[in-house]
Amino acid sequence: MNDVLVGQALTKRFGQTVALGGVDLAVRAGEAVAIMGPSGSGKSTLLHCLAGIMKPDGGEVRLLGERIDGMRERARSALRRTRFGFVFQFGQLLPELAAEENVALPLMLSGVPRAKAVRQARSWFGPLGLGGMETRRPGELSGGQAQRVAIARALVTKPAVVFADEPTGALDQTTGQETMRLLVEATRGNGAGLVVVTHDPNVASWCERTVEVRDGLLAVGGVRT
Amino acid sequence: MNLDLTWRLLRGGGRKGMLGTWLTLGAVAVSTMLLLFAVTANFAFQARADRGAWRVPVAAASGKAVAVEATRYDYVRGRKITVVDLAALNGRAPAPPGLARFPAPGEAWLSPALAELAGRLPADQLAARFPARTGVLGEEALIHPEELVAVVGHRPDAPEMTAARSDEWTAGSRPTQVADLVGRPSEDARGYQILALIAGVLMVVPLLVFGGAAARLTVARRDQRLATLRLVGATPGQVVGMTVAEAVIVAFAGALAGTAAYALAVPLLTRIEISGGPWFAADLLPHPLVPAACLVAVPLLVGLSAVAGLRRVVVSPLGVAKRETPPAMRWFRALALLAVLAVVPMLGQATSVTVVAVVIGLAFLCVNLVGPWVVGIIGRVTAATARRPAGLLAGRRLVDDPRSAWRTVSGVAMTGFVAGFLALLTPGALATGATPGELRVLVPEGSPSAVAEQARERLGKAGVTATVRRSDKLVGVTPAGHADPATMDRARTALAGLVPGRTPTSDADHEHDNVQIIDDIRSGTVVVLSVSFLVAIASAGITAASSILDRRQTYGLLRLAGTPLTVLDRARRTETLVPLAVMGGGSIAVGVFCGLPFMSGAPDGGGLTMLLVCVGLGFAGVLGAGAASRPLLRSVTADPAPRPD
């Protein structure tokens, strides 16, 4: 068993609506898992519970064997900053910072000196095909480039798990495929687990495993085959 | 044009959108209220000057005279009484303001406050100085409701109306034959009007800046949406029309609210004491045209400001959507300020007031013009030297949008300008703290001993123990021991009419006007600073809230990725504090520089204390206003999954 992240019997309600009705999910180091399902099925809620953004009503979440669902907001916040990486569909880069500063930001937040943080950040630009884009502002990058900067930012802290919510939702087919390839390869190369929420089968096909959420329950694939 | 769509955009902005609209409305209301105050204050001083004018006699052309008029000043309990002596030369003498008819010889008409005081104090301390009261003066005769005025009727050949009097204007005016009782505004009334005008300029400029900021607040939140409208094919005209319509609707509502708030505040404002008394409510109720003009001008200005804010969106629909680096501001803004400052040393106390007002107004506007440019430079330095994320974020934000950062601190910077300017103007050592001491009265040539003898007799009858001395020209009376105010007033009353047309006065009485002017300048300064602060803090609070609303998505995602709220808050604070320190200090320096030519004597402790209090309050107020929006920051970042607007 080398699961980095395990969710067990997770439940979450919003008023009368059951968003999660007891979900089990485990992610191994270097493994990419796609969570699919129609809108409102609870896939985003599942991601938020696993990532410590939301507290589940019941069940437990363990990161490397340690329970994280009961932690206080401050501790979960620190955890998200140091052990998790995030890639979203839009708007995750700070428009006023240069690309390299956006990538360096999580390191600086953890106390790495600025010069060192920027140096480390730059080392990600070449492998992600972003050479020469270091000092550009997000407004001067294409959608695909911005998304690759976001990938660099998610990985720069060497996280245990990377969470991606519709990472290619704002990109065209070709750019999306390229972005997914880079995301999966970089995450795997880094030894981190990857959880991707998507409704696009093409995106899911990049992952080793796909689970489907329907009405707050895992329909297919929750348990590894 | 598209009013229906505008209205729906306005209403459909969502809860956060509506919050922004409310903030704009509040900002415009505060601006309008203070604007009305600044404008009305000038009319109020004008009204005071007009009402006091009849007491300054203007000599009639020969053959036209209908009456003789003279004024002198008397004192009771440290307060000044204006005594107007009147004598009719023929039946054509008109009724003075506030009186039903021209006073007959031996009649005395007292102002309500004087009548009240005369009734309260024993007669031998006040009432006995005048003939028996005939009636009470109406408001038209008085500068302010608490003023002590006595109008006394005489025969034209009475000694009071014929004897020579002192020529000093501080002692009153000598008997003058007049053709009417119109007169002319007194010197000090004109002085007050000038001060009021300067105060008005100092208050109105930050108000305009604030109002403009408020207008852009609406636009700032909507520029994204409007850029979208532009992208889907709305013409520039339509976009401008809709935005301006929206801004104007909100501004009109704000202006209405501000006018109502001003009307409600009038009873409080009348209590501000200037020249020794409060105001008639009518003085502070503006002519209906003033609020009417405000209701037209304020929405118009807000609309224009909205157009200016929107120019970027209209010119390039992609400009806003893509958030490119804005073009850097030019150094020639600094040149404009330097040019105006170069003129300042040429000013002096002799310069015409209009020129002074224009130069100060221009300097003020230039500080505002230079502000964003300097903020941009500060941002570049902060970002380049930052070692922590808060500093880096703050610095980059400053470079990115120096105007919005300037809006946060501009109010306090402007107040710093005002405080710096006024710190030097506060006259210091004019009051020497003279004791009541000796009452002196000038006597006609050759009569000192007779007058002194009469004084002894009168004082003896009144039971006042005093030493009486005489010299060639005057008789001096010093009540024995440490004279309390009651004894002094008994002595004054006993000596009333000793020398016709002259009032025995002490050194303290002579300083009365100087002390009054210092008090008034202080009160005026406090009023101007209070207004500036109100604007500064309101502006800081509104800007802080709107900048959170503008960046709620960024903040939300940062928080989600694990950024502690404290880092976000620290970045916000740095973003305000650094420019505040630099710009506040700079503005005070410019204000002090502009005040230098008008400095009278060394600045006193009072002015500097005020400046320090001002700086302290400014920092605390802006930080407090920023801190007040922290719950808003918490609430906008609480949503774990931000979505595009």
Side-chain angles (χ1 to χ4, degrees):
Chain A
M1 280 279 277
N2 56 350
D3 292 339
V4 279
L5 187 71
V6 180
Q8 274 184 329
L10 294 173
T11 58
K12 182 78 186 174
R13 282 169 164 275
F14 296 108
Q16 295 298 308
T17 317
V18 178
L20 292 179
V23 175
D24 299 316
L25 185 72
V27 183
R28 269 186 290 202
E31 181 191 35
V33 180
I35 302 176
M36 289 190 70
S39 297
S41 60
K43 55 188 193 301
S44 284
T45 307
L46 176 58
L47 180 131
H48 291 150
C49 286
L50 289 172
I53 293 168
M54 226 178 240
K55 271 190 178 186
D57 296 336
E60 56 181 61
V61 182
R62 286 174 188 273
L63 175 71
L64 298 169
E66 189 191 355
R67 274 198 66 170
I68 62 168
D69 54 277
M71 287 180 171
R72 291 177 161 276
E73 166 57 25
R74 186 182 292 269
R76 280 186 287 134
S77 200
L79 193 77
R80 293 204 296 272
R81 195 163 67 235
T82 54
R83 309 308 313 273
F84 294 152
F86 294 90
V87 179
F88 296 101
Q89 181 179 351
F90 61 87
Q92 50 208 324
L93 300 179
L94 290 173
E96 57 264 37
L97 296 188
E100 60 183 16
E101 288 166 346
N102 264 296
V103 177
L105 192 66
L107 292 174
M108 289 176 70
L109 284 169
S110 307
V112 178
R114 179 171 169 186
K116 189 177 171 201
V118 171
R119 220 170 28 245
Q120 263 177 270
R122 274 194 195 142
S123 68
W124 285 91
F125 278 67
L128 288 171
L130 288 168
M133 307 284 168
E134 289 84 350
T135 57
R136 288 216 190 163
R137 303 269 294 253
E140 298 162 330
L141 298 172
S142 71
Q145 288 166 339
Q147 214 54 350
R148 277 179 276 160
V149 173
I151 293 170
R153 192 180 67 172
L155 288 167
V156 76
T157 53
K158 310 240 182 266
V161 186
V162 172
F163 295 94
D165 193 350
E166 301 284 7
T168 63
L171 304 176
D172 63 72
Q173 190 69 28
T174 319
T175 317
Q177 290 294 318
E178 177 63 9
T179 304
M180 269 315 288
R181 182 183 67 80
L182 284 167
L183 175 62
V184 170
E185 281 177 3
T187 315
R188 190 178 292 144
N190 218 31
L194 174 65
V195 179
V196 183
V197 164
T198 182
H199 62 267
D200 180 355
N202 286 321
V203 169
S205 68
W206 284 96
C207 302
E208 282 99 336
R209 204 149 59 84
T210 299
V211 298
E212 248 191 272
V213 185
R214 289 257 162 81
D215 302 324
L217 293 169
L218 285 201
V220 193
V223 181
R224 260 188 299 275
T225 47
Chain B
M1 169 195 23
N2 290 316
L3 265 184
D4 181 44
L5 181 54
T6 306
W7 183 242
R8 263 187 288 161
L9 278 176
L10 186 60
R11 296 262 324 268
R15 215 160 55 88
K16 302 258 158 57
M18 278 313 266
L19 178 60
T21 305
W22 281 111
L23 286 175
T24 310
L25 198 147
V28 174
V30 170
S31 300
T32 308
M33 183 176 96
L34 297 176
L35 184 68
L36 276 173
F37 174 60
V39 173
T40 313
N42 282 284
F43 285 112
F45 276 101
Q46 172 77 48
R48 275 190 170 192
D50 289 347
R51 277 199 308 273
W54 73 279
R55 299 180 215 156
V56 184
V58 178
S62 62
K64 295 268 176 70
V66 296
V68 184
E69 182 184 14
T71 53
R72 61 195 157 90
Y73 301 114
D74 199 350
Y75 297 87
V76 59
R77 293 289 195 277
R79 292 173 69 188
K80 189 178 184 178
I81 309 172
T82 307
V83 183
V84 184
D85 294 310
L86 284 174
L89 289 173
N90 53 42
R92 295 202 308 274
L99 284 177
R101 58 181 169 80
F102 197 90
E107 284 185 346
W109 304 70
L110 307 186
S111 68
L114 184 58
E116 190 269 330
L117 194 60
R120 191 149 49 84
L121 295 178
D124 68 350
Q125 288 183 24
L126 177 59
R129 297 183 204 182
F130 312 106
R133 192 178 89 200
T134 314
V136 174
L137 288 169
E139 288 183 0
E140 312 88 273
L142 305 175
I143 289 176
H144 61 76
E146 303 280 301
E147 205 190 10
L148 305 181
V149 181
V151 177
V152 182
H154 299 276
R155 291 182 189 289
D157 54 356
E160 283 84 358
M161 307 314 288
T162 51
R165 292 192 187 189
S166 164
D167 277 341
E168 274 184 71
W169 66 272
T170 49
S173 44
R174 58 175 139 181
T176 310
Q177 298 208 335
V178 294
D180 53 46
L181 291 173
V182 174
R184 59 157 193 270
S186 65
E187 291 294 327
D188 50 345
R190 268 186 276 180
Y192 277 109
Q193 281 182 273
I194 289 164
L195 290 178
L197 186 67
I198 294 179
V201 171
L202 292 178
M203 288 190 284
V204 167
V205 175
L207 276 179
L208 293 183
V209 173
F210 177 45
R216 296 214 180 107
L217 203 148
T218 328
V219 176
R221 284 178 315 94
R222 308 210 171 247
D223 58 4
Q224 203 114 28
R225 185 189 306 218
L226 291 167
T228 310
L229 281 175
R230 184 86 176 83
L231 283 171
V232 301
T235 67
Q238 283 170 318
V239 170
V240 170
M242 280 193 280
T243 312
V244 172
E246 181 177 330
V248 169
I249 290 171
V250 174
F252 184 74
L256 269 182
T259 308
Y262 177 77
L264 292 176
V266 163
L268 281 177
L269 296 174
T270 57
R271 293 193 201 164
I272 300 171
E273 294 205 0
I274 297 281
S275 345
W279 298 82
F280 289 116
D283 285 347
L284 291 173
L285 282 175
H287 187 277
L289 275 180
V290 175
C294 272
L295 288 180
V296 174
V298 169
L300 198 72
L301 281 176
V302 168
L304 283 177
S305 190
V307 173
L310 260 190
R311 218 176 37 196
R312 239 176 52 212
V313 187
V314 174
V315 168
S316 143
L318 294 173
V320 174
K322 281 183 73 184
R323 284 200 185 272
E324 282 161 353
T325 311
M329 260 171 293
R330 305 285 168 74
W331 51 268
F332 61 68
R333 283 166 177 260
L335 219 58
L337 177 66
L338 289 178
V340 174
L341 289 185
V343 178
V344 170
M346 295 176 213
L347 302 177
Q349 284 168 344
T351 318
S352 109
V353 179
T354 325
V355 174
V356 173
V358 166
V359 170
I360 290 172
L362 277 179
F364 212 33
L365 283 174
C366 282
V367 167
N368 193 44
L369 200 63
V370 173
W373 180 69
V374 178
V375 167
I377 293 178
I378 296 170
R380 231 158 274 150
V381 173
T382 310
T385 55
R387 306 170 133 253
R388 322 231 295 158
L392 177 65
L393 275 174
R396 285 276 191 266
R397 279 286 313 167
L398 291 179
V399 178
D400 215 37
D401 195 356
R403 281 185 194 86
S404 103
W406 168 245
R407 282 200 289 275
T408 316
V409 302
S410 62
V412 167
M414 296 279 133
T415 310
F417 179 93
V418 175
F421 183 75
L422 291 176
L424 293 182
L425 287 194
T426 315
L430 278 181
T432 55
T435 52
E438 191 180 46
L439 289 169
R440 283 186 294 260
V441 62
L442 283 170
V443 295
E445 246 172 87
S447 63
S449 41
V451 172
E453 191 47 47
Q454 227 183 323
R456 279 195 198 93
E457 199 182 306
R458 286 182 173 217
L459 289 164
K461 238 189 255 178
V464 180
T465 329
T467 51
V468 178
R469 73 176 177 93
R470 62 187 170 81
S471 68
D472 291 351
K473 287 184 180 165
L474 59 78
V475 166
V477 172
T478 313
H482 180 75
D484 58 291
T487 311
M488 283 302 285
D489 285 333
R490 284 208 336 262
R492 286 178 201 273
T493 310
L495 298 173
L498 180 70
V499 180
R502 285 188 188 163
T503 315
T505 49
S506 67
D507 286 343
D509 297 339
H510 296 156
E511 272 179 9
H512 182 277
D513 286 358
N514 289 342
V515 172
Q516 187 68 63
I517 287 171
I518 296 165
D519 276 359
D520 289 347
I521 290 186
R522 291 240 161 91
S523 314
T525 308
V526 168
V527 169
V528 171
L529 287 185
S530 309
V531 168
S532 307
F533 267 121
L534 212 58
V535 174
I537 289 166
S539 144
I542 283 176
T543 320
S546 74
S547 89
I548 291 178
L549 291 180
D550 283 351
R551 288 185 267 160
R552 57 182 181 274
Q553 189 187 315
T554 308
Y555 279 140
L557 286 165
L558 274 176
R559 178 102 189 270
L560 192 145
T563 312
L565 203 59
T566 47
V567 170
L568 297 181
D569 231 25
R570 198 181 309 134
R572 273 184 347 123
R573 229 177 9 250
T574 311
E575 213 176 285
T576 313
L577 257 187
V578 174
L580 185 66
V582 177
M583 295 312 298
S587 305
I588 290 172
V590 173
V592 165
F593 183 73
C594 287
L596 274 177
F598 310 100
M599 197 166 101
S600 48
D604 71 331
L608 293 177
T609 311
M610 201 170 61
L611 191 61
L612 285 179
V613 169
C614 183
V615 171
L617 281 179
F619 271 70
V622 170
L623 288 183
S629 54
R630 206 187 148 140
L632 182 64
L633 176 64
R634 190 183 292 278
S635 99
V636 299
T637 58
D639 181 4
R643 294 281 164 204
D645 295 280

